[in-house]
Amino acid sequence: AQSVTQLGSHVSVSEGALVLLRCNYSSSVPPYLFWYVQYPNQGLQLLLKYTSAATLVKGINGFEAEFKKSETSFHLTKPSAHMSDAAEYFCAVKGSSNTGKLIFGQGTTLQVKP
Amino acid sequence: SQTIHQWPATLVQPVGSPLSLECTVEGTSNPNLYWYRQAAGRGLQLLFYSVGIGQISSEVPQNLSASRPQDRQFILSSKKLLLSDSGFYLCAWSRAYGYTFGSGTRLTVV
């Protein structure tokens, strides 16, 4: 069965600093992995996804993530944080069945300090 | 283009009252449909999914039910709400490896 663990429920960075949000997955099959962002009282917006192509995936808003099979990780990074990046971030893995359901981590709240 | 509509955006209901949340998808056919719930301070929990009309699978035992009367319509219901049903409900659809989420419904049971 697939599962996702996000390390750190809250991450705080200064504006302009590196953003690193950690995600580790467990999957019995080659995984499809996703990062979503959620602003307060809104739905989820896709940042980027890994579907077995290039291991370094570039997404929107300057975010990128690297798939590392040996570490079973898919950490999200951004070189320089903006105030507008403050939100909740979810890592997810696609289930192996044909239902296509996503299995989410618990989420990480990113705080950006001026 | 594909769009997903979810309503209402917010809802305050008394304990014991019924519930009906609706989600409709446009611009695609035969999508997989999902209902997720996000409780305060917690991640997203998959409640129901559907791979076709009338086909509903429940992920967790609960006070809620779901129906798919039409290909692009997904309804979340309850006959009697509990306080623990409060949360943020998200509808989503997928085909292949693309997933799209609705804007969510904030349900407060009082």
Side-chain angles (χ1 to χ4, degrees):
Chain A
Q2 282 78 14
S3 66
V4 171
T5 302
Q6 290 183 241
L7 302 176
S9 59
H10 288 82
V11 171
S12 181
V13 301
S14 298
E15 191 174 20
L18 171 71
V19 175
L20 171 61
L21 304 183
R22 300 177 186 274
C23 172
N24 288 88
Y25 69 91
S26 172
S27 178
S28 57
V29 298
Y32 295 109
L33 296 159
F34 305 80
W35 273 102
Y36 285 89
V37 61
Q38 183 183 33
Y39 298 99
N41 290 312
Q42 294 186 28
L44 274 69
Q45 181 182 12
L46 179 67
L47 282 175
L48 48 83
K49 61 183 177 183
Y50 168 76
T51 56
S52 74
T55 57
L56 182 62
V57 182
K58 293 187 183 299
I60 62 171
N61 301 339
F63 285 93
E64 63 181 34
E66 185 172 8
F67 172 70
K68 292 187 177 180
K69 184 179 178 180
S70 60
E71 299 178 7
T72 62
S73 69
F74 191 57
H75 302 331
L76 182 70
T77 61
K78 181 174 180 178
S80 176
H82 294 169
M83 296 298 292
S84 60
D85 294 326
E88 189 158 20
Y89 293 79
F90 292 95
C91 182
V93 62
K94 176 181 174 294
S96 58
S97 69
N98 63 356
T99 63
K101 56 186 178 182
L102 290 179
I103 299 162
F104 286 88
Q106 288 297 96
T108 298
T109 300
L110 175 65
Q111 180 187 24
V112 182
K113 299 177 291 185
Chain B
S1 63
Q2 300 93 352
T3 57
I4 181 168
H5 301 280
Q6 188 179 343
W7 68 93
T10 60
L11 192 59
V12 179
Q13 292 284 98
V15 169
S17 63
L19 173 73
S20 180
L21 302 181
E22 188 162 343
C23 172
T24 60
V25 180
E26 296 178 358
T28 187
S29 59
N30 198 30
N32 288 348
L33 296 172
Y34 312 88
W35 278 111
Y36 285 87
R37 177 171 60 200
Q38 186 177 21
R42 301 178 63 181
L44 289 109
Q45 181 183 39
L46 179 63
L47 302 177
F48 300 96
Y49 65 91
S50 172
V51 299
I53 296 174
Q55 301 179 59
I56 307 296
S57 296
S58 174
E59 285 291 290
V60 293
Q62 58 197 298
N63 183 45
L64 303 168
S65 62
S67 62
R68 185 172 178 173
Q70 301 180 45
D71 181 45
R72 289 171 287 179
Q73 183 184 29
F74 204 25
I75 298 172
L76 184 69
S77 304
S78 174
K79 293 182 179 179
K80 290 184 178 182
L81 284 168
L82 306 172
L83 286 173
S84 58
D85 292 324
S86 294
F88 192 57
Y89 289 83
L90 286 163
C91 178
W93 73 271
S94 76
R95 287 195 76 182
Y97 307 119
Y99 300 82
T100 302
F101 285 82
S103 55
T105 296
R106 171 72 60 190
L107 172 65
T108 304
V109 182
V110 297

